[in-house]
Amino acid sequence: MLEKSIIKKNFKKSLETYDNCAVVQKQMAKKLTSMLDNKKYQNILEIGSYTGILTKNIIKKVEFENYLALDIIDSGDYIKKIDSRICFIKEDIEEFLSSKKFDLIISNAALQWCNDFIATIENLKKMLNPAGVMALSIFAYDNLAEIKNTFNSTLNYIETEKLEEIFPDAEIIFESIELQFNNPIEILRHLKKTGVNSIKKGNFSFFKLRELEKRYDNKITYKPLYIKFRKSA
């Protein structure tokens, strides 16, 4: 079970460093947005808007009538600076309920922080209008394998087979992004400055740091995956 209080604390600390360090999340936001149809959406829900990396890409790609951005961190000031038309709500998506239906529900590198991913997705499907689109980027089961194998520290990523069950007939795209660092301390700083240090605590001893350096040559590998699901009309 993820401690949401720790997640909030660590992401709040990384607000000022996130945009400069979240190179993978920026690539993911661009890729995810490129999968959208170039059209006008009546109602948009963005989950995990945070500093607005995805938000900036969306408003360049599509037109909208109503746009609701949601995040567990109080980052509404960042969103308002991007577009004053956007309504921001500070709330955990696992507790969010809405009578409004959406034509587009979109989220970049956020839903892996849910304690019950499947229940969250089923709830979001209910919020989609007929023919509405859910576009998500999350991470594959072997994401940051170097960190998992060295420190025994990871999130409970959803396996591919389960994703295919949750999203029948969806477009699912896998990607691999490798980052190189000078030493293992830089890797830990990178994780901290992007809030990813909220993953399950492991053994971060000096000997483990040396193992990361020798075994993986100070490289870590992100495994993003992209999902485009359209609800039946």
Side-chain angles (χ1 to χ4, degrees):
M1 183 74 69
L2 292 168
E3 291 288 343
K4 293 296 180 77
S5 60
I6 296 175
I7 295 172
K8 290 178 184 179
K9 178 181 178 182
N10 288 340
F11 274 99
K12 188 174 182 180
K13 284 183 178 179
S14 65
L15 268 170
E16 294 184 0
T17 59
Y18 189 82
D19 280 9
N20 288 330
C21 299
V23 292
V24 172
Q25 290 83 350
K26 286 181 179 178
Q27 291 183 49
M28 292 170 66
K30 289 181 180 179
K31 173 71 174 179
L32 183 64
T33 309
S34 73
M35 296 171 67
L36 298 178
D37 297 328
N38 192 1
K39 55 176 281 187
K40 183 174 182 176
Y41 293 90
Q42 185 74 20
N43 296 310
I44 296 176
L45 170 63
E46 181 188 351
I47 302 162
S49 55
Y50 200 42
T51 60
I53 287 176
L54 177 63
T55 316
K56 293 174 184 176
N57 284 273
I58 294 173
I59 64 174
K60 291 178 182 178
K61 172 76 174 183
V62 305
E63 296 181 14
F64 62 90
E65 193 69 31
N66 302 292
Y67 193 131
L68 177 61
L70 179 148
D71 200 280
I72 198 170
I73 304 299
D74 189 5
S75 53
D77 288 345
Y78 289 83
I79 303 303
K80 287 297 183 183
K81 288 178 182 178
I82 296 170
D83 195 316
S84 60
R85 296 174 297 168
I86 299 174
C87 176
F88 175 84
I89 295 179
K90 176 182 176 293
E91 191 165 348
D92 186 341
I93 187 57
E94 293 193 87
E95 300 173 359
F96 178 67
L97 298 173
S98 175
S99 58
K100 177 183 286 187
K101 301 290 186 179
F102 299 93
D103 305 294
L104 172 64
I105 296 177
I106 188 165
S107 178
N108 179 51
L111 289 176
Q112 68 274 5
W113 298 108
C114 291
N115 277 312
D116 194 333
F117 177 83
I118 296 174
T120 300
I121 294 301
E122 292 306 317
N123 187 41
L124 291 175
K125 285 181 179 179
K126 295 175 184 177
M127 298 182 197
L128 272 179
N129 274 321
V133 170
M134 189 185 302
L136 312 175
S137 67
I138 52 174
F139 295 96
Y141 187 73
D142 55 346
N143 185 59
L144 293 176
E146 300 88 349
I147 302 299
K148 177 182 179 180
N149 296 338
T150 305
F151 303 114
N152 191 30
S153 181
T154 187
L155 291 176
N156 293 320
Y157 300 107
I158 304 296
E159 295 184 2
T160 304
E161 293 78 9
K162 179 59 68 173
L163 285 173
E164 291 173 346
E165 290 178 16
I166 301 168
F167 297 102
D169 301 318
E171 179 181 4
I172 302 179
I173 300 172
F174 294 86
E175 195 173 33
S176 180
I177 303 175
E178 186 178 274
L179 298 185
Q180 176 73 58
F181 297 86
N182 293 318
N183 54 66
I185 298 299
E186 283 190 2
I187 295 175
L188 297 185
R189 286 174 179 163
H190 163 77
L191 298 177
K192 181 177 181 180
K193 289 181 179 180
T194 55
V196 185
N197 58 325
S198 297
I199 59 179
K200 187 180 73 173
K201 299 300 180 184
N203 178 8
F204 291 89
S205 66
F206 170 78
F207 296 102
K208 288 295 183 180
L209 292 174
R210 291 292 292 165
E211 180 183 340
L212 180 64
E213 186 173 40
K214 291 180 178 180
R215 186 176 178 185
Y216 295 107
D217 193 26
N218 296 317
K219 295 177 183 177
I220 57 173
T221 309
Y222 284 89
K223 294 294 184 72
L225 65 86
Y226 308 87
I227 303 165
K228 184 179 180 182
F229 168 81
R230 191 180 303 273
K231 190 172 182 178
S232 300

